[in-house]
Amino acid sequence: MDFSLTPRMQELQARTRQFIAEQVIPLENDPLQGAHRPEEALR
């Protein structure tokens, strides 16, 4: 069985990793973000 990724899937993987690194991870330590939504202080 060949489990290697196609070039298209490799590109999608790279874009997904970039999005997580740039958009998701920075928000993990944001004090204005609550467990399920933005805190009221953000509004």
Side-chain angles (χ1 to χ4, degrees):
M1 241 179 195
D2 181 15
F3 292 105
S4 60
L5 298 176
T6 65
R8 183 171 182 236
M9 293 301 297
Q10 290 174 344
E11 192 269 332
L12 178 60
Q13 180 186 49
R15 286 181 30 221
T16 302
R17 287 181 173 170
Q18 181 180 1
F19 172 79
I20 291 172
E22 293 176 359
Q23 303 295 321
V24 177
I25 292 175
L27 292 177
E28 289 181 350
N29 295 321
D30 187 343
L32 297 179
Q33 296 292 325
H36 301 288
R37 60 180 170 71
E39 295 291 334
E40 291 300 318
L42 181 60
R43 296 174 194 231

